[in-house]
Amino acid sequence: MQDVELYTTHSCTYCLRVKEFLSERRVDFVEYNVEDDEKARERMVDLSSHTTVPTIVVGDEVVVGFDPKRLAKLLPGKRP
């Protein structure tokens, strides 16, 4: 399975939705909270130019925000 990285903040409701989406599909992911980790914040900005919406990295693909259709396509075989 591809590595999945999730860049989040404590107050982001979409971040919670992304975590639920990944958990429902039993996808293992590494979460980086950009409020607690300066290096993670820098990486999130490099990837998406944002620090207030979830940024998801699946292999070589970057998804900014909560886009369930695109995430589902990037995570084949993982269904609730």
Side-chain angles (χ1 to χ4, degrees):
M1 179 63 200
Q2 306 172 46
D3 292 335
V4 177
E5 299 175 0
L6 174 59
Y7 294 85
T8 66
T9 68
H10 294 296
S11 59
C12 172
T13 57
Y14 285 112
C15 296
L16 293 174
R17 292 179 67 191
V18 170
K19 287 193 279 190
E20 290 172 0
F21 180 89
L22 295 173
S23 295
E24 287 171 357
R25 285 157 179 76
R26 296 182 288 295
V27 174
D28 293 327
F29 60 93
V30 178
E31 181 178 1
Y32 299 97
N33 189 298
V34 301
E35 293 172 334
D36 300 332
D37 185 337
E38 180 66 32
K39 288 185 182 187
R41 182 178 14 259
E42 292 171 7
R43 175 135 166 84
M44 184 180 193
V45 170
D46 288 344
L47 291 167
S48 68
S49 300
H50 295 280
T51 59
T52 58
V53 296
T55 300
I56 307 98
V57 180
V58 181
D60 295 332
E61 298 287 328
V62 177
V63 179
V64 178
F66 180 49
D67 185 344
K69 288 182 182 179
R70 183 159 178 226
L71 284 172
K73 288 180 183 178
L74 293 174
L75 301 166
K78 300 286 187 177
R79 300 289 180 255

